[in-house]
Amino acid sequence: MRTGSRARAALAGAAAAAFGAGLAELTGAIVGASPITAVGGALIDLAPPWGKDLAIALFGTGDKAALVTAVALGLLLLGAAAGLLARRSMGAAQTLVVVLGLVGAGAAVTRADAAALAVVPPAVGAGATLLGLSLLVPRALAAAPPRAVPDAAMPAGATRRTFLLWTAGAAATGALAAVGGWALQTGARAATAVRAAITLPRATTTVSVPDGADLGIPELAPVITPTSAFYRIDTALAVPQIDPATWRLRIHGKVDTEVEIGWDELLALPLEESVTTLTCVSNEVGGDLIGTARWLGYPIRHLLARAGVQADADMVLSTSIDGFTAGTPLEALTDERNAILAVGMNGEPLPIAHGFPVRMVVPGLYGYVSATKWVTDLEVTRFSDAQGYWTPRGWSERGPIKLASRIDVPRRGAAVTAGDTVIAGVAWQQHVGVRGVQVQIDGGDWQDATLATAISADTWVQWSLPWRATAGPHTIVARAIGTDGQPQTQTVAPPAPDGATGWPRVSVTVT
Ligand SMILES: Nc1nc2c(c(=O)[nH]1)N[C@H]1C(S)=C(S)[C@@H](COP(=O)(O)O)O[C@H]1N2
Ligand SMILES: [Mo]
């Protein structure tokens, strides 16, 4: 029964790995460092430049559970491999487990937000896996003794039943420990509870959205994006959970005096309301990695003025609690624009996934160079001395938002009935503004669309054009016209390295 013995050894190894990983996760919950999350996070960071597109495709919409599941499944497979190895050589199996433990420990301690005891969970995991192997593998072999390994340590009276019992017990203990660890993640609960209890101060200056800003066309993106529909992009596998009571922001580097500010001090400052459209550099033409919110925050320029920026500085490197960094041109943070430390989004404290308690919002720049969530550190520096997270990964050092437009109505492939209907969409070039939008139907003349009233140059603007649709296939193309009178470029460029370009196009069949 060689095959049976192999299957049992693999099963024993997988169960030992489940046992080890479960205990590691439980320990991780206690010391505040999940090893599986650490490995997943390291994988995201190690991903090559094209990895950002992949990461966004895979996890951009919050599907990070997929990566955690993949890492966990990978561990079980490696455990099975260790079980198979152990049939020939327990030493080889043990070496594999120790190497995996070291990889986990390496990932854990190199996380930017590594807990002090981050090496403990991988060590516990490796130790428990070794124990599991030593208990389960002999029972696996005893249950189906392979002829080739006559000297396998066989406990007296071991049977298939005891093997299955022990294996199921180990796997169940691991699963329970993992679930227990999950339930123990008090940090997550605490941040959620603290956030729910917060009442933000009133803004000292408010923005009123003009009546004509939202055309109210069904299927057209509303001018203010509901928080629940706001895109989310970040490298954080586990969303950082910050208790505002412990939050501090340090402003240092090329400044005359370092400034440190805590949550209460920030809320005591005169907070301003602003409406700004945020855009991800990874947004494809026609994509939805863009949203507009009503933010509440404090202008960063006042804090920089307090610190006293030195003359040779030209960049501010912002860092989040989990080690993400963005390099923002100094002038974008010191000129009169609404570059803020935001604490509120659409009338509520920032959602945890959108940076609670404090993030940056800077009109005119893609998020990867400006919109640091869970921000805790601003270093005034130079582009020649420091780099943001994405720059060495193949993305441009500077990320001004490009003139762009999107067709929302009709949707691609939508069923349109012949007759009077409407074509509508949004256009944007934050902090610069949009002068107009033109639409071309079936390669005909460019027609001027009607622009809605823009809230400001820092937001997208809706547009629409009446259309008498005739039966048959149609192609609709749009282009924004910039404030300089120049149309949005037709040249097609991918998102990397500094933002996609090209005209949005929608094909529909009218019936
Ligand atoms: N801490 C942190 N902040 C971050 C990022 C990140 O990975 N980590 N990603 C940036 C990018 S690329 C974008 S587009 C915006 C997205 O903000 P949102 O998720 O609130 O829409 O956050 C920025 N801030
Ligand atoms: Mo982004």
Side-chain angles (χ1 to χ4, degrees):
M1 288 289 289
R2 299 289 308 274
T3 327
S5 125
R6 233 180 254 143
R8 286 194 182 83
L11 197 61
F19 180 61
L23 289 182
E25 284 301 299
L26 180 59
T27 320
I30 294 163
V31 307
S34 151
I36 289 186
T37 305
V39 169
L43 287 177
I44 292 181
D45 288 355
L46 290 176
W50 48 262
K52 180 174 184 184
D53 288 340
L54 185 68
I56 282 161
L58 291 175
F59 318 116
T61 47
D63 223 2
K64 308 201 172 189
L67 182 55
V68 170
T69 309
V71 173
L73 282 180
L75 269 179
L76 292 186
L77 282 178
L78 288 163
L84 287 173
L85 270 180
R87 295 170 73 238
R88 306 278 149 140
S89 155
M90 190 50 108
Q94 287 166 335
T95 308
L96 174 58
V97 173
V98 169
V99 167
L100 289 176
L102 287 175
V103 169
V109 299
T110 53
R111 298 280 73 210
D113 53 345
L117 298 176
V119 292
V120 175
V124 167
T129 307
L130 290 177
L131 177 68
L133 280 179
S134 72
L135 290 175
L136 298 177
V137 171
R139 287 179 169 78
L141 302 183
R147 272 162 297 165
V149 193
D151 60 342
M154 275 182 239
T159 64
R160 241 171 83 184
R161 262 261 287 282
T162 35
F163 163 67
L164 284 178
L165 222 74
W166 277 77
T167 306
T173 308
L176 270 180
V179 170
W182 205 40
L184 251 175
Q185 292 196 336
T186 45
R189 303 242 183 102
T192 306
V194 169
R195 177 180 176 274
I198 289 173
T199 309
L200 291 175
R202 281 174 165 280
T204 53
T205 60
T206 58
V207 181
S208 56
V209 173
D211 283 342
D214 202 309
L215 301 173
I217 297 171
E219 303 284 292
L220 170 59
V223 72
I224 303 281
T225 312
T227 304
S228 59
F230 208 96
Y231 80 97
R232 176 190 162 198
I233 292 292
D234 53 63
T235 60
L237 188 51
V239 177
Q241 309 286 336
I242 304 179
D243 180 351
T246 65
W247 176 86
R248 296 194 72 72
L249 176 79
R250 183 170 162 241
I251 302 176
H252 62 109
K254 294 187 173 292
V255 294
D256 297 335
T257 16
E258 282 197 23
V259 169
E260 245 196 75
I261 182 169
W263 173 248
D264 289 337
E265 294 159 84
L266 179 60
L267 289 200
L269 294 169
L271 302 184
E272 299 177 6
E273 188 178 83
S274 51
V275 180
T276 295
T277 299
L278 221 63
T279 309
C280 184
V281 68
S282 295
N283 196 37
E284 304 273 358
V285 172
D288 57 6
L289 299 180
I290 176 167
T292 303
R294 199 187 271 274
W295 306 97
L296 178 70
Y298 186 69
I300 295 170
R301 63 178 180 278
H302 297 331
L303 292 174
L304 289 176
R306 214 196 271 186
V309 170
Q310 291 171 3
D312 58 336
D314 64 5
M315 187 251 251
V316 173
L317 188 77
S318 52
T319 306
S320 70
I321 196 151
D322 64 340
F324 169 84
T325 53
T328 310
L330 182 64
E331 74 266 12
L333 301 179
T334 51
D335 66 17
E336 287 299 305
R337 80 183 77 192
N338 288 315
I340 56 167
L341 288 177
V343 296
M345 180 179 185
N346 291 336
E348 288 179 5
L350 288 179
I352 293 178
H354 291 289
F356 179 79
V358 184
R359 75 171 306 164
M360 287 170 56
V361 172
V362 183
L365 305 176
Y366 289 118
Y368 81 108
V369 290
S370 69
T372 305
K373 305 191 271 189
W374 315 288
V375 65
T376 57
D377 190 284
L378 300 182
E379 184 192 356
V380 179
T381 178
R382 296 186 53 78
F383 276 104
S384 53
D385 294 342
Q387 282 186 321
Y389 183 90
W390 286 112
T391 303
R393 291 169 171 81
W395 295 76
S396 174
E397 176 178 86
R398 312 234 175 188
I401 292 175
K402 296 177 178 175
L403 179 65
S405 55
R406 190 179 75 191
I407 303 167
D408 284 3
V409 185
R411 297 244 169 241
R412 200 167 304 238
V416 179
T417 351
D420 283 325
T421 179
V422 71
I423 299 170
V426 284
W428 63 88
Q429 186 174 21
Q430 288 93 299
H431 206 60
V432 176
V434 173
R435 180 189 288 182
V437 169
Q438 294 180 326
V439 176
Q440 185 189 52
I441 302 167
D442 301 327
D445 292 338
W446 287 100
Q447 305 176 52
D448 288 326
T450 305
L451 279 196
T453 313
I455 300 174
S456 76
D458 292 345
T459 65
W460 62 10
V461 59
Q462 295 186 346
W463 56 266
S464 73
L465 181 76
W467 181 35
R468 180 155 296 170
T470 55
H474 296 285
T475 298
I476 303 162
V477 178
R479 64 181 189 190
I481 308 295
T483 47
D484 58 359
Q486 292 301 307
Q488 163 187 354
T489 178
Q490 182 180 12
T491 308
V492 175
D498 61 359
T501 59
W503 292 338
R505 174 183 306 268
V506 164
S507 296
V508 287
T509 302
V510 176
T511 51

Tab-separated table of all heavy atoms in Angstrom, residues 250-259 303-313 316 330 378-381:
chain	number	residue	atom	x	y	z
A	250	ARG	N	4.285	63.436	13.000
A	250	ARG	CA	5.552	64.136	13.222
A	250	ARG	C	5.953	64.816	11.923
A	250	ARG	O	5.921	64.197	10.853
A	250	ARG	CB	6.589	63.098	13.643
A	250	ARG	CG	7.927	63.659	13.973
A	250	ARG	CD	8.808	62.590	14.620
A	250	ARG	NE	10.193	63.058	14.518
A	250	ARG	CZ	11.164	62.428	13.862
A	250	ARG	NH1	10.930	61.267	13.284
A	250	ARG	NH2	12.369	62.946	13.802
A	251	ILE	N	6.291	66.078	12.001
A	251	ILE	CA	6.778	66.809	10.825
A	251	ILE	C	8.231	67.163	11.097
A	251	ILE	O	8.539	67.834	12.086
A	251	ILE	CB	5.945	68.094	10.584
A	251	ILE	CG1	4.471	67.713	10.404
A	251	ILE	CG2	6.467	68.854	9.366
A	251	ILE	CD1	3.549	68.902	10.267
A	252	HIS	N	9.112	66.662	10.251
A	252	HIS	CA	10.535	66.822	10.534
A	252	HIS	C	11.307	66.895	9.222
A	252	HIS	O	10.718	67.035	8.164
A	252	HIS	CB	11.028	65.655	11.407
A	252	HIS	CG	10.880	64.319	10.740
A	252	HIS	ND1	11.942	63.576	10.277
A	252	HIS	CD2	9.773	63.610	10.400
A	252	HIS	CE1	11.491	62.473	9.719
A	252	HIS	NE2	10.185	62.463	9.779
A	253	GLY	N	12.632	66.795	9.307
A	253	GLY	CA	13.463	66.877	8.108
A	253	GLY	C	13.981	68.295	7.938
A	253	GLY	O	14.465	68.900	8.904
A	254	LYS	N	13.827	68.808	6.721
A	254	LYS	CA	14.362	70.140	6.438
A	254	LYS	C	13.410	71.216	6.965
A	254	LYS	O	12.773	71.948	6.200
A	254	LYS	CB	14.566	70.291	4.934
A	254	LYS	CG	15.667	69.357	4.395
A	254	LYS	CD	15.972	69.650	2.947
A	254	LYS	CE	17.173	68.838	2.464
A	254	LYS	NZ	18.445	69.264	3.096
A	255	VAL	N	13.295	71.268	8.296
A	255	VAL	CA	12.443	72.272	8.941
A	255	VAL	C	13.245	72.957	10.045
A	255	VAL	O	14.233	72.416	10.532
A	255	VAL	CB	11.172	71.632	9.559
A	255	VAL	CG1	10.279	71.062	8.479
A	255	VAL	CG2	11.539	70.566	10.582
A	256	ASP	N	12.780	74.149	10.422
A	256	ASP	CA	13.471	74.866	11.489
A	256	ASP	C	13.155	74.250	12.842
A	256	ASP	O	14.033	74.123	13.693
A	256	ASP	CB	13.062	76.344	11.466
A	256	ASP	CG	13.483	77.008	10.159
A	256	ASP	OD1	14.451	76.516	9.537
A	256	ASP	OD2	12.840	77.995	9.752
A	257	THR	N	11.894	73.868	13.052
A	257	THR	CA	11.517	73.218	14.301
A	257	THR	C	10.612	72.045	13.991
A	257	THR	O	9.683	72.177	13.202
A	257	THR	CB	10.666	74.154	15.214
A	257	THR	OG1	10.185	75.235	14.438
A	257	THR	CG2	11.422	74.595	16.424
A	258	GLU	N	10.887	70.911	14.595
A	258	GLU	CA	10.002	69.761	14.412
A	258	GLU	C	8.653	70.053	15.043
A	258	GLU	O	8.576	70.715	16.069
A	258	GLU	CB	10.605	68.527	15.091
A	258	GLU	CG	11.709	67.908	14.273
A	258	GLU	CD	12.021	66.477	14.730
A	258	GLU	OE1	11.144	65.815	15.349
A	258	GLU	OE2	13.142	66.048	14.458
A	259	VAL	N	7.617	69.564	14.386
A	259	VAL	CA	6.266	69.740	14.918
A	259	VAL	C	5.685	68.352	15.146
A	259	VAL	O	5.848	67.460	14.305
A	259	VAL	CB	5.382	70.536	13.929
A	259	VAL	CG1	3.918	70.501	14.349
A	259	VAL	CG2	5.878	71.971	13.813
A	303	LEU	N	0.585	73.727	8.971
A	303	LEU	CA	1.495	72.946	9.828
A	303	LEU	C	2.930	73.074	9.319
A	303	LEU	O	3.873	73.163	10.110
A	303	LEU	CB	1.063	71.482	9.875
A	303	LEU	CG	-0.269	71.238	10.596
A	303	LEU	CD1	-0.687	69.789	10.457
A	303	LEU	CD2	-0.148	71.619	12.080
A	304	LEU	N	3.089	73.091	7.976
A	304	LEU	CA	4.438	73.261	7.416
A	304	LEU	C	4.975	74.643	7.770
A	304	LEU	O	6.159	74.797	8.069
A	304	LEU	CB	4.407	73.053	5.900
A	304	LEU	CG	4.185	71.607	5.441
A	304	LEU	CD1	4.078	71.536	3.914
A	304	LEU	CD2	5.312	70.694	5.935
A	305	ALA	N	4.091	75.643	7.761
A	305	ALA	CA	4.523	77.000	8.109
A	305	ALA	C	4.975	77.034	9.571
A	305	ALA	O	5.973	77.667	9.916
A	305	ALA	CB	3.388	77.992	7.872
A	306	ARG	N	4.235	76.314	10.414
A	306	ARG	CA	4.599	76.249	11.825
A	306	ARG	C	5.998	75.641	11.988
A	306	ARG	O	6.795	76.093	12.811
A	306	ARG	CB	3.591	75.361	12.551
A	306	ARG	CG	3.306	75.795	13.966
A	306	ARG	CD	2.618	74.683	14.728
A	306	ARG	NE	1.165	74.724	14.613
A	306	ARG	CZ	0.362	73.903	15.301
A	306	ARG	NH1	0.861	73.006	16.114
A	306	ARG	NH2	-0.949	73.974	15.151
A	307	ALA	N	6.287	74.612	11.180
A	307	ALA	CA	7.588	73.947	11.282
A	307	ALA	C	8.700	74.796	10.657
A	307	ALA	O	9.850	74.720	11.067
A	307	ALA	CB	7.528	72.584	10.602
A	308	GLY	N	8.351	75.602	9.678
A	308	GLY	CA	9.361	76.424	9.008
A	308	GLY	C	10.166	75.604	8.015
A	308	GLY	O	11.166	74.979	8.363
A	309	VAL	N	9.708	75.576	6.752
A	309	VAL	CA	10.359	74.750	5.743
A	309	VAL	C	11.640	75.422	5.252
A	309	VAL	O	11.645	76.613	4.969
A	309	VAL	CB	9.391	74.515	4.561
A	309	VAL	CG1	10.107	73.872	3.397
A	309	VAL	CG2	8.212	73.667	5.014
A	310	GLN	N	12.711	74.664	5.175
A	310	GLN	CA	13.984	75.241	4.725
A	310	GLN	C	14.019	75.387	3.211
A	310	GLN	O	13.348	74.656	2.480
A	310	GLN	CB	15.138	74.382	5.240
A	310	GLN	CG	15.242	74.529	6.766
A	310	GLN	CD	16.203	73.556	7.405
A	310	GLN	OE1	16.866	72.776	6.715
A	310	GLN	NE2	16.267	73.608	8.722
A	311	ALA	N	14.849	76.334	2.760
A	311	ALA	CA	14.800	76.790	1.370
A	311	ALA	C	15.136	75.709	0.350
A	311	ALA	O	14.619	75.719	-0.761
A	311	ALA	CB	15.742	77.974	1.194
A	312	ASP	N	15.987	74.743	0.707
A	312	ASP	CA	16.405	73.773	-0.308
A	312	ASP	C	15.470	72.560	-0.414
A	312	ASP	O	15.720	71.652	-1.207
A	312	ASP	CB	17.845	73.312	-0.041
A	312	ASP	CG	18.001	72.685	1.340
A	312	ASP	OD1	17.181	73.005	2.233
A	312	ASP	OD2	18.929	71.887	1.522
A	313	ALA	N	14.392	72.539	0.342
A	313	ALA	CA	13.461	71.402	0.272
A	313	ALA	C	12.573	71.539	-0.958
A	313	ALA	O	12.245	72.647	-1.384
A	313	ALA	CB	12.605	71.359	1.524
A	316	VAL	N	7.776	66.524	0.100
A	316	VAL	CA	7.399	66.029	1.422
A	316	VAL	C	7.125	64.540	1.283
A	316	VAL	O	6.289	64.125	0.483
A	316	VAL	CB	6.174	66.765	1.988
A	316	VAL	CG1	5.702	66.102	3.287
A	316	VAL	CG2	6.502	68.242	2.235
A	330	LEU	N	6.624	69.808	-2.796
A	330	LEU	CA	6.393	70.733	-1.688
A	330	LEU	C	5.353	71.791	-2.041
A	330	LEU	O	4.464	72.098	-1.244
A	330	LEU	CB	7.721	71.393	-1.298
A	330	LEU	CG	7.670	72.350	-0.118
A	330	LEU	CD1	7.281	71.638	1.165
A	330	LEU	CD2	9.016	73.046	0.058
A	378	LEU	N	5.518	63.205	8.286
A	378	LEU	CA	5.822	64.038	7.117
A	378	LEU	C	7.278	64.461	7.223
A	378	LEU	O	7.660	65.150	8.171
A	378	LEU	CB	4.931	65.293	7.078
A	378	LEU	CG	3.412	65.112	7.002
A	378	LEU	CD1	2.719	66.473	6.923
A	378	LEU	CD2	3.019	64.257	5.806
A	379	GLU	N	8.061	63.999	6.251
A	379	GLU	CA	9.463	64.408	6.243
A	379	GLU	C	9.670	65.411	5.111
A	379	GLU	O	9.438	65.088	3.940
A	379	GLU	CB	10.389	63.198	6.049
A	379	GLU	CG	11.848	63.590	6.138
A	379	GLU	CD	12.825	62.509	5.674
A	379	GLU	OE1	12.377	61.397	5.336
A	379	GLU	OE2	14.030	62.794	5.629
A	380	VAL	N	10.084	66.597	5.466
A	380	VAL	CA	10.375	67.608	4.454
A	380	VAL	C	11.759	67.276	3.896
A	380	VAL	O	12.738	67.211	4.640
A	380	VAL	CB	10.319	69.023	5.069
A	380	VAL	CG1	10.645	70.076	4.012
A	380	VAL	CG2	8.943	69.282	5.683
A	381	THR	N	11.828	67.049	2.587
A	381	THR	CA	13.085	66.559	2.029
A	381	THR	C	13.227	67.028	0.585
A	381	THR	O	12.641	68.037	0.198
A	381	THR	CB	13.147	65.012	2.169
A	381	THR	OG1	14.346	64.538	1.582
A	381	THR	CG2	11.970	64.314	1.513
